[in-house]
Amino acid sequence: MNGARRLAFFAAANIDGADLRRPRRKRAFHLDPRLEDHLQAGEALFRDYDLDRGHLIRRLDPTWGSAEEAEEANRDSMFFPNIAPQHKALNQRIWLSLEDHILSFTEETDAKVSVLVGPVFSHRDPPHKTGILVPLAYWKVIASVGRGRRGRQSDRVLQAQAFVMSQADLVKPGDLEL
């Protein structure tokens, strides 16, 4: 966590495409009791603006393993340290498309995937009325090993991809003030 920014520097998860589960979303977002409240952004950041509560690690990505493990991962994904302010046009379109692509690939190829993701912190990030600076970009790195081109486990190939997605054209400094 970046205490000054009250947002995560990054989040990371592993995904096992051969063992994914899809537990239901059961609760709203909450402050993480393992951190002091003043070190994490909360609900106030998302009121009155076109900012979504964007998961850094998608809720369904770490939900694999036993039913209990998947349910624990599902619950943990709903804490504010895993949430970042993403404009709704980024979160519900481009970011979601990337998340869908990753999860679909993971399931189709029984891949083992590691995902690292975070905001790009900049001195140009506009301040929200809460004092939190809203990141204007996010990064995601995916490393995976899945079935090879012929579909055989023996043909497993390591792949890596990196993305940077900007919301600078969507979030303007004056938009975050009342």
Side-chain angles (χ1 to χ4, degrees):
M1 286 295 293
N2 181 326
R5 297 290 297 256
R6 297 174 54 193
L7 299 169
F9 278 112
F10 69 93
N14 293 317
I15 309 170
D16 185 345
D19 200 16
L20 281 172
R21 296 176 182 266
R22 293 191 179 267
R24 290 186 183 175
R25 186 179 188 153
K26 294 184 178 176
R27 57 181 233 165
F29 299 100
H30 294 284
L31 295 175
D32 190 328
R34 299 168 288 193
L35 292 172
E36 296 178 38
D37 290 358
H38 73 277
L39 296 176
Q40 47 189 318
E43 192 59 41
L45 181 60
F46 303 96
R47 290 188 197 123
D48 305 322
Y49 302 105
D50 288 333
L51 295 175
D52 280 357
R53 294 159 197 84
H55 279 86
L56 292 174
I57 296 297
R58 184 182 189 162
R59 183 183 65 82
L60 293 174
D61 285 355
T63 58
W64 53 274
S66 70
E68 295 80 23
E69 291 168 328
E71 194 55 49
E72 180 180 5
N74 187 32
R75 281 191 308 271
D76 283 350
S77 77
M78 300 300 287
F79 286 126
F80 274 108
N82 185 44
I83 307 304
Q86 292 182 339
H87 190 278
K88 66 181 182 179
L90 174 71
N91 186 50
Q92 296 174 28
R93 293 184 191 137
I94 303 166
W95 195 260
L96 179 60
S97 293
L98 177 59
E99 291 175 328
D100 285 345
H101 171 74
I102 294 166
L103 202 58
S104 175
F105 165 82
T106 302
E107 286 183 303
E108 288 171 11
T109 63
D110 296 333
K112 306 256 192 256
V113 177
S114 294
V115 177
L116 294 99
V117 59
V120 176
F121 291 132
S122 168
H123 67 280
R124 293 184 303 270
D125 292 340
H128 182 273
K129 69 177 181 174
T130 60
I132 294 173
L133 299 178
V134 174
L136 294 179
Y138 292 89
W139 59 269
K140 185 176 285 225
V141 175
I142 303 116
S144 64
V145 176
R147 284 193 309 259
R149 293 178 191 215
R150 296 181 191 103
R152 297 185 310 224
Q153 294 295 338
S154 61
D155 291 339
R156 288 186 169 274
V157 177
L158 175 64
Q159 298 179 4
Q161 297 172 318
F163 303 87
V164 175
M165 295 190 180
S166 175
Q167 61 181 11
D169 59 333
L170 302 169
V171 177
K172 304 294 184 209
D175 294 346
L176 302 176
E177 302 166 3
L178 279 180

